[in-house]
Each structure stands twice: as structure tokens, then as C-alpha cells.
Amino acid sequence: MRLSERGLALIASFEGFSATPYDDPANNCTVGYGELLHLGPCTPEELARLPLTEPAALAQLAVKAQHYGDAVESMSRLLNQNEYDALTSLCYNIGTGGYARSSVRAAVNRGVTGVCAELRR
């Protein structure tokens, strides 16, 4: 499956956009929609670079998010587009290992009700 435009917009809305590099809360140099440039603070040269356009940042996010979508697809039962998008967003935020160990993934694969309750947890 591929992440839909709505799925990409969902992830982007949680990440927020910055056209210029900044030090994230963990003090790592970041730009665009949470794209890690490197561990550690931004250098003066990075802070002075030309701004990243939002379309370019969305394209980067789409490529990065697809990695997480592929992981969701490989670890989950057959999903519809909305489920895939939501679970890809979750996996993007908690990582593939976090998704693999999550109660959400277990609930999805059991096919039981209560997946939304697990997501809220």
C-alpha cells in the first residue's frame, strides 16, 4: 500500500513545519516536518542555509513515512486505507520496534474491537 494524501497530511499536522533548521527538544538539528539532519545542535552554517520549501519537505516526509508504512503492512493483517494511514502515523511516531511490540498492533491482528481504545492509550 501507499500512504494517501490524507495520511501524509495527518503525519504533517502532528509534526509541524519549519523551513529553517532548528534544535529540537532533544537538542538535535532538525528541519521541515521533523526531519533529523543529525544528532546534536545545528551549526551556524546550517542555521544560515536557504529555507526548505514546504513542498520539498512534504516530499521528504512522504519518502520517510513510506518506510514506516511498509513496516505496518508487513506486520499487520490486511488493512483498508484509513487503517493503514492511521497505523503508519502511529508507527512513524513510535518507531517500527515500538509498533511491533504495541498493544495496538496486537489488537489489529486479532481483529477485535477496541483498537481505537488502544490507540488512545
Side-chain angles (χ1 to χ4, degrees), residues 48-82:
R49 78 184 212 181
L50 291 175
L52 180 66
T53 66
E54 195 163 357
L58 275 172
Q60 288 177 346
L61 178 62
V63 169
K64 184 177 178 184
Q66 190 59 49
H67 163 76
Y68 296 97
D70 292 344
V72 164
E73 190 170 24
S74 72
M75 291 187 254
S76 306
R77 64 158 171 79
L78 188 61
L79 303 168
N80 69 37
Q81 188 67 54
N82 291 335

Side-chain angles (χ1 to χ4, degrees), residues 2-46:
R2 304 293 301 169
L3 188 64
S4 72
E5 290 297 318
R6 288 180 67 194
L8 184 62
L10 175 68
I11 295 171
S13 73
F14 287 125
E15 291 299 320
F17 173 71
S18 176
T20 56
Y22 64 95
D23 294 331
D24 71 8
N27 208 30
N28 297 314
C29 192
T30 307
V31 71
Y33 288 101
E35 182 71 26
L36 179 69
L37 294 176
H38 60 78
L39 297 177
C42 298
T43 66
E45 295 80 18
E46 288 165 330

Side-chain angles (χ1 to χ4, degrees), residues 86-103:
L87 294 172
T88 298
S89 177
L90 173 68
C91 188
Y92 184 87
N93 280 283
I94 66 173
T96 56
Y99 181 72
R101 294 183 301 275
S102 74
S103 59

